[in-house]
Amino acid sequence: MPVMAMREIRVIPDPVLRTVCDEITTIDDGVRGLVADLLETVDAEGRAGLAANQIGVNLRAFSWNIDDEVGYVLNPRIVELSDELQDGDEGCLSVPGLWFPTARAWYARVEGIDLDGESVVVEGTGLMARCLQHECDHLDGKLYLDRLERSVRSKAMRELRARL
């Protein structure tokens, strides 16, 4: 396994955060190193998930750290969302210090592959479902701010501009 490294988190307005990530077509040492870095970087206090583009890599991969379970998935795609919604404050490592109410599905199911190219399914409710949706959004070049209700989004953008 490659040496793991804690990677710097890219923050808004870095353009990599608005870039749709590329599918992983070959699992090589670079991808194995990326996964090692994602796992190392997400395994810190207060971190629930981390997409590859948040550490400057334009590939479809993310890691999570929910309820003492740390894992990853390559080429994730959301295959099921519940009609039942959850509402709660959401934040993002790439938008530090800002938390806003963001509606998400209560349950989410993601399919992808692991480092052996084997199919994996990651699913969950509550925080795990929120994480899966949030990280898949990142890989599509979206931030949680894009999902905010209009009035809340206006407030968020004002606060964000004041910080930049």
Side-chain angles (χ1 to χ4, degrees):
M1 186 74 155
V3 175
M4 294 193 299
M6 177 73 75
R7 299 276 293 268
E8 182 180 344
I9 306 292
R10 302 291 184 95
V11 296
I12 197 168
D14 191 315
V16 74
L17 298 171
R18 293 301 192 173
T19 302
V20 176
C21 294
D22 296 329
E23 193 92 358
I24 295 169
T25 56
T26 304
I27 298 172
D28 56 16
D29 286 344
V31 171
R32 283 187 275 282
L34 169 63
V35 168
D37 290 352
L38 284 169
L39 293 171
E40 175 75 13
T41 306
V42 81
D43 193 18
E45 186 69 31
R47 294 184 175 179
L50 182 69
N53 56 347
Q54 289 182 276
I55 58 172
V57 179
N58 190 31
L59 291 175
R60 296 190 76 79
F62 71 79
S63 58
W64 70 85
N65 182 2
I66 306 281
D67 296 330
D68 297 322
E69 179 191 346
V70 177
Y72 74 93
V73 62
L74 309 178
N75 296 334
R77 65 184 193 288
I78 294 175
V79 296
E80 187 180 348
L81 295 172
S82 65
D83 291 333
E84 182 184 356
L85 298 179
Q86 59 175 309
D87 201 11
D89 283 351
E90 191 164 317
C92 179
L93 297 170
S94 294
V95 188
L98 296 180
W99 292 78
F100 292 98
T102 309
R104 296 280 189 180
W106 176 250
Y107 167 83
R109 177 184 171 104
V110 167
E111 292 179 357
I113 60 172
D114 64 16
L115 284 172
D116 296 319
E118 299 295 321
S119 294
V120 293
V121 173
V122 185
E123 62 187 335
T125 58
L127 182 58
M128 185 61 168
R130 182 177 294 279
C131 175
L132 295 174
Q133 294 165 82
H134 181 108
E135 301 312 326
C136 283
D137 274 357
H138 271 302
L139 300 179
D140 290 333
K142 296 179 180 146
L143 296 170
Y144 85 99
L145 299 172
D146 302 330
R147 293 194 174 272
L148 300 178
E149 290 181 20
R150 189 175 193 171
S151 62
V152 177
R153 189 174 197 290
S154 295
K155 178 180 184 232
M157 298 315 287
R158 280 193 305 276
E159 286 188 36
L160 187 59
R161 280 191 292 277
R163 291 169 178 243
L164 297 177

